[in-house]
Amino acid sequence: MTKTYYLTTPIYYVNGKPHIGHAYTSILCDTFSRFHRMIGEKVFYITGTDEHGIKVQKAALEQGKDPKAFVDEIVPQFKELWRILGIQYDYFIRTTDSDHKKVVQKVLADLEKKGDIYKAKYHGWYCTPCESFWTELQLKDGKCPDCSRGVDRLEEENYFFKLSKYQNDLIQYIQKHPDFIRPDYRKNEVLGFLKEPLEDLCITRPKARLTWGIEYPGSKDHVVYVWFDALLNYLSGAGYLLDDKKFRSLWPADLHLVGKDILRQHAIFWPIMLMAMGVEMPKLVFAHGWWKIGEAKMSKSAGNVVDPAGIVQKYGSDTLRYFLLNEVTLGLDGTYSEDLLAERYSSDLADKLGNLWHRFASMLEKYCEGKIPQVDPQKVGPDLYHEEFYAGLWHRVSGRMLDYDPRAALADIWSSVIVFSNQLIEKQQPWKLAKDPSKRDILLQTLWVLGEHLAHTAVLLLPFLPESSAKILKRLKLKTEWMIQKPEDFSKPFVVSGTVIEKGEPLFPRLDEKAS
Ligand code: ME8
């Protein structure tokens, strides 16, 4: 059985509407999954919603709603956003799904039986927004060390998971698998954190304080800590303890893509949970950076969120996808502003890609009745065209995608084909060639090469800008689903001589025209 490429986003809290930050992770995963499909792999892309815990209970209460009724209203807003952003996930998991709850309870019962969970009295400090316990020593100036907000004194009986028992095993695992946590600087951060002894993890909350959660098996007084419940979605969504055949085809996950805010949970809690369960480690935990507004992280609690739906309506979903994928290298923080997005729209999408299509289609109309010319690729001069050009391009772009660097892949596509083709037009000056009948062959070859470049660009861009690429391919009367399994699949000519293309409306209309 061939292994499916299995990738995950975090499951998002449903205490409010999704924003640009959530869109970022989902767009990245969508781009990776489209790419892996294109190279012929089976892909399973899971996303979903994290519906239990204090944050959600509080948000529901504030609106005077029952938590389940409240989350049932929010979940469709996430699904709708994924629809308009072209996010093609394979499975949407909700932690309120009964299958998921069953898996969580079974795992807890097994771990307790194994002796990795114990019951104890807890005295210490609790940060409600972070849902984290802290000892006196861990507090910073008496405040939560993670978010600097106030903490409450707590004394209660809870269940604890023995993180400490596995600390050394985890350190060894990370050291033996240098690509388990990426980027490298995040791996070092985790190893730095692991230099201090780990406290065992409190994995329940007394019902006196929180009722909105999965019941702890065997206790009427406790619900499961939201993170323990949430992390298990990666297994339950893949069929763990539910559908063995499905699980074996999916696990281990190839990629857990998360924001750096939840690295500790994914690079410490999660691997230790898996070790305790005796389940194989995922291949990679990749932590990306934050989108900020000015200096502040964009977040619901800071109240500085940007609604992706508004941006999509104004600029199109591909523009938001392009901006987020291209603006920062995966791992680093980025600054979001609509001005910057509008600038990239004009300079990269409208002036470079949109304009290239427009110039090509207009010249084809004018000089060839809109038909792809009959050209023998063997006879086209090497200064204009050679097949190895595409083989090299594919090698570089696919290599960058396999190495999780979509920004470098886009930069290569833009400089090597899009900007290059615009320069080729300037160099060849087809309008001058058209005036001289003895140059007719060169004119046709130039237009044919431009058509090829555009077709190859559109295929390469399918994972990144699915809407615009499909538009270009349809206008060239080519299929919109491609399988590139070997370099030759990409280096061969794509356009079909004699095809009458469709010029169509501008791909990326000028912003002043859009507004009018
Ligand atoms: O943490 N920049 O859910 P959450 C970039 N339910 N990415 C951002 C971002 C920003 N400003 N803001 C949010 C949770 N994100 C848990 C996860 S997983 C088992 C449980 C993205 O709704 C980023 O992926 O707070 C971040 O890790 C995630 O949304 C947090 O979403």
Side-chain angles (χ1 to χ4, degrees):
M1 187 165 40
T2 53
K3 164 84 175 70
T4 300
Y5 179 81
Y6 176 31
L7 78 172
T8 68
T9 70
I11 46 171
Y12 306 112
Y13 286 128
V14 280
N15 55 340
K17 278 166 61 167
H19 59 72
I20 294 268
H22 303 111
Y24 181 49
T25 323
S26 296
I27 289 172
L28 279 162
C29 279
D30 183 65
T31 305
F32 293 134
S33 70
R34 286 175 188 261
F35 172 76
H36 280 266
R37 278 196 190 102
M38 189 153 109
I39 61 174
E41 290 178 25
K42 269 199 204 159
V43 172
F44 192 70
Y45 170 9
I46 177 171
T47 190
T49 41
D50 188 356
E51 305 189 4
H52 295 122
I54 294 221
K55 282 187 202 191
V56 175
Q57 178 172 289
K58 213 168 135 227
L61 217 76
E62 277 165 11
Q63 293 195 15
K65 287 180 182 152
D66 161 69
K68 182 64 169 59
F70 172 78
V71 295
D72 283 350
E73 277 173 26
I74 306 266
V75 169
Q77 298 179 13
F78 277 83
K79 289 189 172 169
E80 174 57 12
L81 179 62
W82 303 151
R83 191 188 65 76
I84 64 172
L85 286 172
I87 307 291
Q88 291 180 337
Y89 53 81
D90 297 286
Y91 189 58
F92 191 101
I93 187 160
R94 298 182 56 176
T95 52
T96 48
D97 292 343
S98 62
D99 272 352
H100 171 75
K101 291 197 225 171
K102 259 193 264 164
V103 171
V104 172
Q105 291 184 325
K106 174 83 171 74
V107 167
L108 285 163
D110 287 351
L111 289 177
E112 195 178 336
K113 216 192 273 158
K114 192 180 164 200
D116 281 343
I117 290 178
Y118 60 92
K119 200 173 180 185
K121 271 230 158 62
Y122 174 83
H123 310 263
W125 298 93
Y126 187 65
C127 173
T128 308
C130 294
E131 301 195 39
S132 297
F133 288 94
W134 303 107
T135 60
E136 188 81 39
L137 278 178
Q138 287 173 316
L139 297 183
K140 264 199 202 132
D141 303 324
K143 302 259 166 67
C144 169
D146 267 2
C147 74
S148 308
R149 281 178 277 208
V151 285
D152 299 312
R153 178 89 196 151
L154 267 193
E155 203 178 308
E156 57 191 31
E157 190 161 62
N158 272 314
Y159 290 84
F160 289 80
F161 171 54
K162 287 188 183 166
L163 278 188
S164 52
K165 176 175 160 189
Y166 295 93
Q167 176 159 3
N168 284 336
D169 293 344
L170 177 62
I171 295 172
Q172 276 175 23
Y173 187 85
I174 296 173
Q175 284 168 341
K176 270 201 203 134
H177 299 84
D179 285 334
F180 175 53
I181 302 166
R182 288 183 64 189
D184 222 37
Y185 45 88
R186 295 284 167 231
K187 177 186 69 187
N188 295 334
E189 203 178 290
V190 171
L191 284 172
F193 191 86
L194 286 170
K195 284 197 175 123
E196 299 297 321
L198 283 177
E199 302 269 332
D200 288 343
L201 184 66
C202 178
I203 53 160
T204 53
R205 300 293 181 262
K207 277 204 185 153
R209 212 150 51 73
L210 173 72
T211 49
W212 181 233
I214 299 177
E215 228 167 63
Y216 186 85
S219 166
K220 288 207 165 48
D221 305 325
H222 293 90
V223 293
V224 179
Y225 171 44
V226 68
W227 267 104
F228 201 95
D229 156 6
L231 287 162
L232 283 167
N233 93 86
Y234 301 133
L235 287 182
S236 66
Y240 181 65
L241 303 179
L242 297 165
D243 179 344
D244 203 40
K245 190 164 164 239
K246 176 178 173 188
F247 184 65
R248 275 187 288 120
S249 76
L250 295 177
W251 199 260
D254 292 84
L255 170 67
H256 289 314
L257 185 67
V258 298
K260 65 179 182 181
D261 45 324
I262 53 175
L263 176 66
R264 197 158 39 100
Q265 289 85 346
H266 284 82
I268 298 180
F269 298 175
W270 181 229
I272 290 186
M273 284 164 68
L274 291 167
M275 278 179 179
M277 283 184 260
V279 173
E280 202 179 332
M281 289 286 162
K283 291 194 189 142
L284 171 62
V285 175
F286 203 123
H288 66 65
W290 284 341
W291 284 97
K292 297 183 170 182
I293 301 276
E295 282 307 301
K297 179 193 174 202
M298 188 188 293
S299 74
K300 276 170 267 188
S301 53
N304 59 356
V305 298
V306 177
D307 176 10
I311 299 297
V312 170
Q313 203 174 24
K314 204 158 155 195
Y315 301 90
S317 68
D318 278 357
T319 305
L320 183 60
R321 291 175 69 109
Y322 176 77
F323 179 78
L324 296 177
L325 294 168
N326 181 59
E327 203 58 21
V328 289
T329 299
L330 197 59
L332 302 178
D333 290 346
T335 304
Y336 177 85
S337 83
E338 192 176 333
D339 284 351
L340 204 57
L341 178 131
E343 200 180 305
R344 299 288 184 253
Y345 175 90
S346 298
S347 66
D348 296 2
L349 297 174
D351 290 356
K352 296 198 176 99
L353 179 56
N355 202 26
L356 174 62
W357 171 261
H358 182 75
R359 292 169 95 186
F360 162 74
S362 305
M363 291 190 292
L364 205 68
E365 239 173 26
K366 202 157 163 196
Y367 308 129
C368 301
E369 297 161 330
K371 261 192 218 157
I372 301 280
Q374 193 76 47
V375 164
D376 178 355
Q378 308 296 333
K379 296 205 175 123
V380 183
D383 53 328
L384 272 183
Y385 173 82
H386 49 99
E387 280 194 9
E388 301 84 74
F389 168 79
Y390 293 126
L393 179 66
W394 173 253
H395 179 73
R396 294 194 308 276
V397 170
S398 57
R400 283 170 173 141
M401 286 305 280
L402 292 171
D403 192 35
Y404 300 104
D405 194 350
R407 184 189 199 211
L410 281 172
D412 201 342
I413 299 169
W414 248 258
S415 66
S416 319
V417 218
I418 301 173
V419 172
F420 175 78
S421 299
N422 277 313
Q423 287 165 349
L424 190 70
I425 298 177
E426 297 308 317
K427 188 174 130 219
Q428 295 294 102
Q429 303 195 319
W431 49 93
K432 280 198 184 152
L433 298 174
K435 286 191 185 135
D436 182 350
S438 73
K439 304 262 170 69
R440 179 79 185 157
D441 274 359
I442 305 181
L443 172 68
L444 297 186
Q445 287 173 4
T446 304
L447 293 176
W448 180 84
V449 167
L450 288 171
E452 276 303 335
H453 284 353
L454 270 158
H456 281 80
T457 300
V459 171
L460 278 183
L461 286 179
L462 276 168
F464 305 85
L465 311 181
E467 231 176 70
S468 315
S469 321
K471 231 184 234 175
I472 296 176
L473 291 166
K474 277 187 197 146
R475 289 175 181 188
L476 290 168
K477 309 269 168 68
L478 295 173
K479 60 185 179 180
T480 54
E481 282 186 14
W482 289 71
M483 189 89 97
I484 313 286
Q485 287 180 294
K486 45 190 188 315
E488 302 81 80
D489 294 339
F490 188 73
S491 59
K492 64 184 182 198
F494 288 169
V495 292
V496 180
S497 300
T499 304
V500 180
I501 67 143
E502 234 173 85
K503 186 173 167 199
E505 296 292 309
L507 285 173
F508 302 98
R510 285 167 55 116
L511 288 175
D512 42 7
E513 284 169 13
K514 269 183 104 138
S516 60

